[in-house]
Each structure stands twice: as C-alpha cells, then as structure tokens.
Amino acid sequence: MTETTTGATPRPPELRLASGLIQSLRDDLLTDPFAYRPLAPMRTDGRLPRLLPRRIRPKAAYLPHAAVAAAAFFVFLLGNMNNFNGMPPVQALVIGVLAAAPVLMVLVRPVGAFWASLAVTAVLSVLQDRIMVWPWSPATFVAHLAVMTFVAMRSRPRVAGWMWVATLVFGTALPILVGSAHSVQPAPMAVTSAMALLAVTVRNTRREARQEVTAQQEVTAVERDRRTLLEERTTIARELHDVVAHHMSVVAIQAEAAPYRVKNPPPELEAAFGTIRENAVAALTELRRVLGVVRSADYEAPEAPQPTLASLDGLLANVRETGLSVEKTVTGAVRELPQGVELSAYRIVQEALSNSLRHAPGAVAEVEISYVLGGLGIRVVNGPAVGDVRPSPGAGHGITGMRERVAMLEGEMTAGKSSTGGYEVAVFIPVHGRPRAEEDPA
C-alpha cells in the first residue's frame, strides 16, 4: 500500500515574479498615495551652502522648497501663455493654476502629486488641440516632468521606474480611449522623463553609497578605538604581570622562611604562616592563569628588568640623539615607589616624549618629576615645531595608553595645547603608604 502526501502546489516562478512586481507597484504608488510627507529642510553644512555668504547660509536649508516653488511658477507662466493664443484670460489663469498645483503638492504629498499630475493632464487635454505631444500641453509636459523628477529625488529608485511605466501607459492609452489613436506620440515624454529619472537615480544611488561608506567608516573608527583601548590594556597587563607575580612570590617565600627565624615557634604561628604561603601560592597560580590569556602566542617576556624612573636618564639621552632638546627637573625628596608606579611613570614619560618627536620635531621639551606628599607628579611639555620638518602623524594611541595607565593607578591626567603653542601632559599618581624594603629570607 502506497501513501501519497498531498500539499500546496508551489506556484510557477513566472507567477511569483508577477506577484512580486504587482506587490511592489502597490507598495510604491498605490498604498496610501496621499500620505503626508513634508519635504525636510536641507543640511547647511554641504558643499553648496558653503558657497553662500555666511549671513544667508542658515536660510539655505530651504533651497529645495524654493526650487519646487520656482518650477511651479514657471509652469504657471507656461499655462498663462494660452492667453496670447486667443483664450480668455480667466480660462488661461485656471489652466496655469491647475498645471502648477501638482508641482507644489510635491512639498507635502509626493506620490499623490504624481497621480494628481496625471489627472490634471487628462482634464486639461480636452482644452487644447490634439497636436504635437498630446495629451500633454507645454505646461502639463513641464509640470509632469518636474513632478516625476522631484518625487524620484525623494524616493527609492524603484519608484522612479514605476512612475515612468505609468506615464508611458497613460500617454499611450488616453488617446486611444478618446478615439485619437492617430495622435499617439509617447516618445517625447518617454525619452525626456527617462533621461531625467536616470540622472536622479544615479544621483540617489551615489548618495546612498556615500552615506553607507560614511556610516561604515564611523563604525570602523569606533571599533578601531575600542581595539586600541583593548590593546593598550593588554600591554599594561603584560607589563604588570611580572611585577605582581614577583611580589606574590616574595610573600610566599617569606611566609615559608618566617617560622625558621623564630626559636621554638608555637604551632599556631607555624600554621598561620603555612596558611599565608598556601594562599600566596594559590593566588599566584590563579594570577598566572588569568593574566596568561592576555599573552599572544608569540609573546615573550622581556629578559631585561622592567624600566623605572632610575632609567629615565638613559631614555632622555636617546631622545636627545634624535634631535629633541630635553631638560629634566626633579623636585621633592626622591624615594623608592611601588614598582608598578615606577613602570607606569617611565612609560608615560616615554610616550609623551614620543609624541613630541612626532608632532613637534625640533622643539624643546621639559620633563618634571615631582615627589610630593601622597604621590608622584609628572609634567611633560614641549614647544611648537621648529624648522621646515613636517610633523609625523601618529596612530593616535599614545594619549589612550597614558590615560589607561593613569586610570589603572587611580590617578589624574590632563593633556592639551599649552599657552606657548606646544603641548602639555600633566599626571598625578597617588601612592598609598610607603614601600617596605624586601627582606632577604635566607
């Protein structure tokens, strides 16, 4: 026994295509054609408004409205030319007003203006001789062409195609329906409107493509800034990993050696130091596991010790060899700071001087290190560029990296142009408590 499954028979591709075309026609020209869609003002930061005097530039936002009004006035004048052909003045005035009305209608109801233009053309066609481009007169010809152009500028390209098809069908069918098949001449309107709509479609397509590119560039810039921020944080985490791991190792070693420094330590003390060591080793293991993910596959830990403020003179000597004159000033009582603070302070000075080399070649820079109560102050300022050497554009990551380091240490930072025309970076890093010298556990 054979079972057969019955279901809906799929429609042929031709029928689906025809159904899709009818649906698009309904959506573009037939669904709520007289919806209220006022023409929005134009942006005043474009190429054309910038050519206008500054006084009248804010009013340039209504240039599209003025263009529509000018086209409507021109159509009105063409309609009144019938007055010179022997037509009564009142009748010529009515023809001019009716022909110009659909053009003005584009300002508020664009799709409805297209259908209104066809209706006005059909009504006014009975008042003119059936010659030349009938059913269009000069006024209705220009009016309908202007309406289609303005509507196409405000709509997507598919609407322009449907308007052209509807106009061609209208111009061909109306003479046949009224018994004037011999006067059918759709070519002038078809060719002229096709050229106008093609130009508008190309313009709209280019504008949409430009907007998409601009939007994509903005998204790319945001993603690039986010990636830069993550890269800077990763770099900081890599540098501080060894610092933190070293201190945790010292805690574990000292906790293990402490009971041997006390003669006959009580069991409670040995247990306490054992617990401290176990916790330190566990924390060190977790630290390496968590911070290990920020190391790339080809990352190698630096063999040399991490730089500190004691290494600053070597950095300044290297900078001077590149042509940047640098002066260093140290105020306050120099003291040993936590290794993370020393490393971050060194990197901040290094990055600030690198920015001076890129953006102010040949300038004079000053580095001020201030050991103050409760923290460390850093100030790097450079003068304007000297000579004909052009500044080298950087990637824009330096300031981001410095801010990340300062924020990690709960400090404060300001960066901006100085009063002398150069650039100034000022940082304060708080230091809580005084570092204790590490004891030799041996």
Side-chain angles (χ1 to χ4, degrees):
M1 182 176 181
T2 304
E3 294 183 359
T4 58
T5 303
T6 60
T9 303
R11 294 185 299 174
E14 295 82 1
L15 185 58
R16 291 200 302 268
L17 178 60
S19 178
L21 290 176
I22 295 174
Q23 182 62 37
S24 65
L25 173 62
R26 183 184 300 113
D27 294 340
D28 294 335
L29 295 182
L30 300 179
T31 301
D32 201 8
F34 290 91
Y36 182 70
R37 292 173 50 198
L39 179 61
M42 183 179 66
R43 295 177 55 181
T44 57
D45 56 350
R47 184 183 307 173
L48 180 60
R50 286 199 298 265
L51 299 177
L52 300 175
R54 191 176 299 273
R55 289 185 308 179
I56 62 175
R57 192 174 299 173
K59 300 180 181 179
Y62 296 97
L63 281 177
H65 303 73
V68 173
F73 182 71
F74 180 71
V75 170
F76 174 76
L77 294 180
L78 287 178
N80 276 273
M81 289 180 61
N82 293 314
N83 187 22
F84 299 99
N85 298 329
M87 184 177 292
V90 176
Q91 186 176 352
L93 180 64
V94 171
I95 292 177
V97 171
L98 289 177
V103 181
L104 291 176
M105 193 175 174
V106 173
L107 295 174
V108 290
R109 306 183 191 276
V111 178
F114 170 74
W115 294 114
S117 177
L118 292 180
V120 168
T121 300
V123 171
L124 297 184
S125 63
V126 302
L127 302 178
Q128 61 178 329
D129 296 332
R130 299 180 182 181
I131 58 175
M132 297 180 64
V133 291
W134 192 86
W136 282 282
S137 66
T140 55
F141 187 95
V142 174
H144 192 66
L145 187 62
V147 167
M148 285 197 298
T149 302
F150 291 141
V151 174
M153 294 177 68
R154 299 188 56 188
S155 307
R156 49 187 172 181
R158 194 175 66 184
V159 176
W162 282 123
M163 287 193 302
W164 185 82
V165 172
T167 299
L168 184 62
V169 172
F170 172 83
T172 304
L174 183 61
I176 297 176
L177 293 177
V178 298
S180 299
H182 61 279
S183 60
V184 175
Q185 294 186 12
M189 174 60 75
V191 173
T192 307
S193 60
M195 294 176 61
L197 295 177
L198 179 60
V200 172
T201 301
V202 171
R203 173 252 187 192
N204 289 347
T205 303
R206 291 187 58 185
R207 183 182 62 180
E208 292 177 0
R210 187 163 55 248
Q211 291 175 350
E212 291 180 359
V213 170
T214 302
Q216 186 63 35
Q217 288 177 345
E218 293 177 356
V219 173
T220 303
V222 172
E223 292 297 330
R224 183 171 59 250
D225 293 341
R226 184 178 303 172
R227 184 174 63 252
T228 299
L229 185 62
L230 293 177
E231 289 175 354
E232 292 296 334
R233 291 178 177 177
T234 301
T235 302
I236 296 172
R238 287 172 176 173
E239 292 179 348
L240 293 182
H241 173 271
D242 294 335
V243 176
V244 179
H246 168 72
H247 287 298
M248 294 301 298
S249 299
V250 171
V251 171
I253 294 173
Q254 290 181 341
E256 184 177 7
Y260 299 100
R261 295 190 175 188
V262 179
K263 186 177 182 179
N264 298 323
E268 295 82 359
L269 183 61
E270 291 183 355
F273 279 114
T275 302
I276 293 174
R277 181 184 180 281
E278 292 176 358
N279 290 335
V281 172
L284 182 60
T285 302
E286 292 297 327
L287 178 66
R288 287 172 176 170
R289 181 182 297 118
V290 173
L291 293 185
V293 300
V294 303
R295 295 183 184 271
S296 60
D298 57 349
Y299 175 76
E300 297 180 358
E303 297 180 358
Q306 295 286 4
T308 63
L309 289 177
S311 311
L312 202 57
D313 290 336
L315 172 64
L316 300 183
N318 292 335
V319 172
R320 292 189 185 102
E321 292 179 357
T322 63
L324 183 69
S325 178
V326 185
E327 299 178 0
K328 185 184 78 168
T329 303
V330 179
T331 60
V334 179
R335 65 184 187 275
E336 182 183 358
L337 299 175
Q339 191 170 357
V341 174
E342 294 262 354
L343 172 61
S344 296
Y346 179 91
R347 294 301 188 196
I348 289 172
V349 174
Q350 183 182 41
E351 188 59 46
L353 292 177
S354 298
N355 288 342
S356 299
L357 284 171
R358 283 193 296 265
H359 302 291
V364 177
E366 298 179 4
V367 177
E368 298 181 7
I369 307 296
S370 302
Y371 292 86
V372 297
L373 182 64
L376 176 70
I378 303 172
R379 180 174 177 268
V380 181
V381 58
N382 62 265
V386 179
D388 298 331
V389 182
R390 292 185 177 181
S392 174
H397 301 173
I399 298 297
T400 301
M402 286 188 283
R403 292 193 187 280
E404 283 298 309
R405 294 181 184 276
V406 174
M408 177 193 63
L409 298 173
E410 299 181 354
E412 298 178 358
M413 171 180 166
T414 59
K417 292 185 178 181
S418 62
S419 58
T420 59
Y423 202 81
E424 178 179 355
V425 175
V427 173
F428 176 76
I429 301 176
V431 178
H432 304 289
R434 299 182 59 184
R436 296 183 301 174
E438 298 174 359
E439 300 180 0
D440 186 2

